Amino acid sequence: MLFIVTHCLILYICSDFLNHKITKLKNMSVIAVGTMAFDAIETPFDKIDKIIGGSATYVAYAASHLVQPIMQISIVGEDFPASEMDELKRRGVKMEGVEIVPGKKSFFWSGKYHLDMNTRDTLITDLNVLADFNPVVPESYQQAEFLMLGNLAPAVQMNVINQMKTRPKLIVLDTMNFWMETALDDLKKALTMIDVLLINDSEARFLSGEFSLVKAAKKVMEMGPQYLIIKKGEHGALLFHKNHVFFAPALPLEDVFDPTGAGDAFAGGFIGHIARTRDVSFENMKTGIIVGSAMASFCVEKFGPQRLTEITKRDIDIRLAEFVQLVNFDIDLV
Ligand code: AMP
C-alpha cells in the first residue's frame, strides 16, 4: 500500500515537473499592439491635464498580471517618460517593438465623460508620431502565439498580422466608431483575418446596422470573426460564438473615477487569461471575459492606468471571487 502511495506521489511530482517544463517550453507570450500616449481627461467629478494612457499601455499593464512576457509594439515621441518604460519593463513588457522618435511628440487624446460615465466625447486627437506609424515586428516576437491588436488604424493592424511568419493561435482585434467611419473597407478586410472582435454595443449596432445585439452579432460574425465580444460598460459584456452566447456582468462599484482604458484593460485581462491557459475554446473564453471584467473594474477606480500598477495577485483573486458571487444563485425548478 505504502509502495503504491509513494509510487503515485512520485508519478504526480514527475508529471507536475513535466507539466511545468512543458509550460515553460510552450509559448504563452502575447504581442500587444496599440498606442502609448498622453491623455487629458475630464469627468463630472474631476479633471486631469496630462496622464499616461494609450491602448497598448493599458493592455500591457493588465495582461502582465497574468502572463509574461508581453511583447509591445507601439510608437512614442521623445516626451514619453523613460520611467514609465522602465516600470513596464519591470513587469515583463518587452520594448524592442516600441519605436521612440526623437524630436517628436507622443499621441495625445483628450476626452470628456458625460454624467453617466458610460459615454464620452473626444475633444482632441493629436496623432503626432502615430501619423507615421509603420510597425515592425521584431524577430524576437515571432514565436508569440497570441496577438492583441489594440485600437489603431485597421491598415496598421493588418500590417502586423501580415508580418507574422506563423499565424498566431489567437488574434484579437479591438476597434472603435472612428475607424468604422473613416476606414470601413480596411476594417472589413481586417475582420476576415482575425478570430475575436472586441467592440462596444453602439459600435456593434453601427457596424451591422441592426439594433438588436443578437442580430448585430450574427451579422458581424458573418464578416469574419468566429467570436465577438460586445462590451456594455457598466452593464457587462456579451460573448458570442455561432449560436452560443454568454454574459458577464460588470462589478457594481460605489465610485467610478475614470473609465478611460477600461476597454483596453478588459482586452488585456482577456488575452492574458487565454495566453496563460493556452486554451482558445469558447468555454475558456467565458472565464476570459470574467478576468477581463475584473481588470476593467480595477482600472476605473483611479485616473489612468495607476490602479493597474498597484494591484496584487491577491487583489485579483478576491475580485474574481466577487464576480463568482455576483452571478451565483440557487434556484428550484418550477
Ligand atoms: P478606452 O477607454 O479603452 O477606449 O481606451 C482609451 C485609450 O485609448 C486612451 O488612453 C487613448 O490614449 C487611446 N485612444 C483614444 N483614441 C484612440 C485612437 N483613435 N486610436 C488609438 N488609441 C486611442
Side-chain angles (χ1 to χ4, degrees):
M1 177 67 184
L2 185 67
F3 168 75
I4 295 171
V5 171
T6 319
H7 198 70
C8 287
L9 195 67
I10 290 169
L11 268 176
Y12 173 75
I13 292 168
C14 284
S15 69
D16 193 43
F17 172 71
L18 261 176
N19 271 340
H20 184 68
K21 237 185 145 179
I22 290 164
T23 312
K24 285 261 167 195
L25 288 175
K26 282 176 187 167
N27 207 309
M28 302 188 289
S29 45
V30 173
I31 296 181
V33 189
T35 45
M36 294 175 76
F38 288 113
D39 293 342
I41 296 154
E42 199 178 327
T43 74
F45 317 104
D46 214 338
K47 191 177 172 211
I48 198 152
D49 286 338
K50 199 177 184 188
I51 192 168
I52 294 292
S55 52
T57 312
Y58 283 101
V59 168
Y61 273 124
S64 63
H65 284 285
L66 301 151
V67 72
Q68 293 182 6
I70 306 298
M71 296 165 160
Q72 197 85 333
I73 297 186
S74 192
I75 187 166
V76 294
E78 66 178 13
D79 52 355
F80 200 83
S83 57
E84 196 69 29
M85 297 277 213
D86 290 343
E87 182 60 30
L88 284 161
K89 280 186 206 157
R90 214 176 55 73
R91 292 164 182 273
V93 183
K94 303 277 179 222
M95 290 294 170
E96 218 187 311
V98 178
E99 189 186 343
I100 305 172
V101 188
K104 289 226 172 162
K105 282 185 174 175
S106 302
F107 177 69
F108 174 77
W109 175 81
S110 162
K112 184 176 175 175
Y113 287 87
H114 301 167
L115 205 58
D116 66 2
M117 292 289 256
N118 243 356
T119 48
R120 69 185 177 204
D121 294 325
T122 290
L123 303 178
I124 304 169
T125 301
D126 283 339
L127 292 178
N128 299 324
V129 286
L130 203 64
D132 309 310
F133 187 29
N134 191 13
V136 176
V137 178
E139 196 51 41
S140 60
Y141 287 19
Q142 282 291 347
Q143 81 282 16
E145 285 193 324
F146 300 90
L147 176 55
M148 177 65 233
L149 297 163
N151 186 17
L152 270 180
V156 177
Q157 294 173 317
M158 279 191 283
N159 182 348
V160 172
I161 300 176
N162 287 331
Q163 287 180 55
M164 296 302 294
K165 291 178 188 158
T166 312
R167 191 192 191 275
K169 214 175 156 78
L170 196 77
I171 305 180
V172 183
L173 183 143
D174 190 7
T175 190
M176 68 190 293
N177 272 21
F178 180 76
W179 303 116
M180 295 173 191
E181 285 159 21
T182 61
L184 186 62
D185 287 346
D186 278 350
L187 180 61
K188 283 189 174 166
K189 252 184 251 160
L191 293 184
T192 65
M193 300 165 80
I194 62 155
D195 303 299
V196 185
L197 175 66
L198 268 168
I199 43 180
N200 69 30
D201 44 355
S202 68
E203 290 157 354
R205 289 185 171 118
F206 187 89
L207 187 60
S208 63
E210 293 285 353
F211 183 79
S212 149
L213 288 182
V214 176
K215 283 187 184 161
K218 271 193 189 143
K219 276 203 176 169
V220 172
M221 286 190 287
E222 279 164 14
M223 295 177 188
Q226 290 257 344
Y227 301 88
L228 171 67
I229 298 173
I230 300 182
K231 299 167 287 177
K232 299 182 74 200
E234 64 171 330
H235 305 298
L238 292 159
L239 167 67
F240 291 92
H241 173 55
K242 295 185 175 155
N243 288 323
H244 308 286
V245 58
F246 175 72
F247 170 70
L251 196 69
L253 295 167
E254 268 188 40
D255 294 303
V256 171
F257 279 94
D258 171 21
T260 309
D264 308 313
F266 179 99
F270 175 78
I271 194 94
H273 171 76
I274 301 291
R276 191 167 69 93
T277 52
R278 295 189 79 247
D279 175 353
V280 296
S281 67
F282 180 70
E283 282 310 305
N284 196 42
M285 284 188 195
K286 291 181 182 176
T287 314
I289 72 167
I290 301 282
V291 177
S293 303
M295 299 315 278
S297 74
F298 285 119
C299 181
V300 303
E301 287 178 342
K302 286 194 177 169
F303 267 114
Q306 192 189 334
R307 190 74 184 110
L308 294 175
T309 68
E310 297 170 349
I311 51 170
T312 61
K313 184 182 176 310
R314 191 175 137 71
D315 294 324
I316 298 170
D317 286 344
I318 293 172
R319 180 88 18 130
L320 287 173
E322 285 180 67
F323 269 91
V324 173
Q325 276 312 309
L326 200 61
V327 289
N328 202 7
F329 59 90
D330 289 323
I331 192 163
D332 290 326
L333 295 178
V334 287

